[in-house]
Amino acid sequence: METGASTACFYPLETEKALERVCKLGFKTAEVFMNAPCELEDGFTKELKSIADGYGTSIVSVHPFSSFLESSCIFGDYKRRYDDFIGIYEKTCHAAAVLGADTVVIHGAVEKPKIPIPDERYFERFAELIEVGKREGVTVCQENVSRFKSRSIEFCKKMRDALGDDFHMVFDIKQTVRSNQDTFEFLEEFKHEIHHLHISDNSPLGDCLPPGKGSFDFKRFFDILQKANYGGTCVIELYSGRLDVDFELKESKAYIERT
């Protein structure tokens, strides 16, 4: 499995500059986190594709900038607002297709919105996002995210039951930790639905650590996926903070490749 990195590691560096940093570090797989509506336009996505192609890097996944809008604008109860905002996801899926990516990452709705969101509506709207992706040849995936509906194993099981074979996940290690979920229980339950991975390390002292700088059992993690014939992709996603991101990504890549 090729180890990649997300441009989100360099936020708030401009997306095109962050992608070039990822490529220059020797990563041949990248995730692009879009950060503004203008970055979904063809001119910009073609620029990103040119950067990646110049380094022989494949962009495998796209994360929309609009995650913070999804509770009220995609899954909320005002249908006209949904009709207006679904265009962002049409553009996101098209951008992914232009970039050659096969995955679009969705956070979904927060766990406790001010106005409750019925699960049935959530699953219905998510199914519509999936159809938007299919028209562009990309897979729209639910990421497990702390403080969101998808934080829990039980919610994701209900979602899988509702969507059937169209249910796919982006599995994020740090988000299971932040959600007080057992990472390996979560992994075992959805190992056949996982389409893409966000990896980081953790220890009793904290999460979102560079791989190799914590105590997470990556060997067990990858053994489970290998036995499940996992064929998806894997990217390191860190939040920069005070990290020397270039150094930590290089160290992390070397560590994962040794594991």
Side-chain angles (χ1 to χ4, degrees):
M1 187 192 316
E2 181 78 33
T3 303
S6 173
T7 61
C9 297
F10 293 100
Y11 184 84
L13 186 67
E14 292 90 341
T15 302
E16 67 277 17
K17 294 176 182 176
L19 177 60
E20 187 151 30
R21 291 273 285 274
V22 168
C23 295
K24 283 183 175 179
L25 288 169
F27 287 97
K28 297 304 179 185
T29 300
E31 175 172 289
V32 171
F33 198 121
M34 299 299 196
N35 288 301
C38 64
E39 296 180 3
L40 300 178
E41 301 300 329
D42 277 356
F44 187 81
T45 52
K46 288 175 181 176
E47 178 187 349
L48 293 181
K49 183 72 163 63
S50 178
I51 291 169
D53 288 349
Y55 288 92
T57 298
S58 297
I59 298 173
V60 296
S61 52
V62 170
H63 202 307
F65 73 89
S66 48
S67 297
F68 70 98
L69 296 168
E70 288 167 1
S71 291
S72 63
C73 295
I74 296 298
F75 299 102
D77 56 0
Y78 196 70
K79 180 63 163 50
R80 186 180 293 165
R81 188 163 55 224
Y82 167 82
D83 292 339
D84 282 351
F85 277 86
I86 192 66
I88 292 175
Y89 293 85
E90 292 168 345
K91 284 190 169 185
T92 299
C93 290
H94 177 69
V98 171
L99 292 169
D102 70 350
T103 303
V104 170
V105 185
I106 302 295
H107 282 189
V110 295
E111 185 178 26
K112 296 178 180 179
K114 290 182 179 179
I115 301 174
I117 296 172
D119 288 347
E120 293 74 16
R121 185 201 305 149
Y122 186 96
F123 303 148
E124 178 185 331
R125 297 277 175 84
F126 206 99
E128 291 175 14
L129 292 177
I130 289 169
E131 291 304 313
V132 169
K134 285 181 179 180
R135 292 197 290 272
E136 293 286 353
V138 301
T139 303
V140 174
C141 299
Q142 173 70 70
E143 182 176 17
N144 62 296
V145 186
S146 173
R147 296 180 287 106
F148 281 66
K149 283 178 173 286
S150 59
R151 66 174 293 278
S152 77
I153 292 172
E154 289 309 309
F155 178 82
C156 290
K157 285 168 71 174
K158 288 177 66 176
M159 189 172 179
R160 179 174 62 189
D161 289 344
L163 297 180
D165 291 342
D166 281 337
F167 176 74
H168 300 284
M169 286 196 73
V170 173
F171 188 80
D172 190 314
I173 294 171
K174 65 181 170 297
Q175 297 293 350
T176 60
V177 176
R178 293 179 177 187
S179 302
N180 295 314
Q181 300 285 300
D182 184 293
T183 300
F184 290 102
E185 181 183 353
F186 216 132
L187 181 68
E188 286 282 8
E189 180 63 43
F190 297 104
K191 60 189 176 185
H192 296 297
E193 286 82 30
I194 295 171
H195 191 72
H196 182 58
L197 298 168
H198 287 166
I199 63 170
S200 57
D201 211 333
N202 58 78
S203 77
L205 298 178
D207 58 32
C208 201
L209 302 175
K213 300 297 174 72
S215 55
F216 185 72
D217 191 345
F218 279 102
K219 185 178 185 307
R220 179 184 175 191
F221 183 79
F222 288 122
D223 281 349
I224 291 169
L225 289 167
Q226 185 176 27
K227 289 175 183 175
N229 297 313
Y230 177 69
T233 48
C234 160
V235 300
I236 301 165
E237 185 184 63
L238 307 173
Y239 303 142
S240 56
R242 298 181 180 178
L243 294 175
D244 179 341
V245 180
D246 294 84
F247 174 79
E248 296 294 356
L249 283 177
K250 285 165 63 176
E251 291 276 298
S252 297
K253 185 175 186 292
Y255 173 79
I256 292 297
E257 290 174 350
R258 291 195 306 269
T259 301

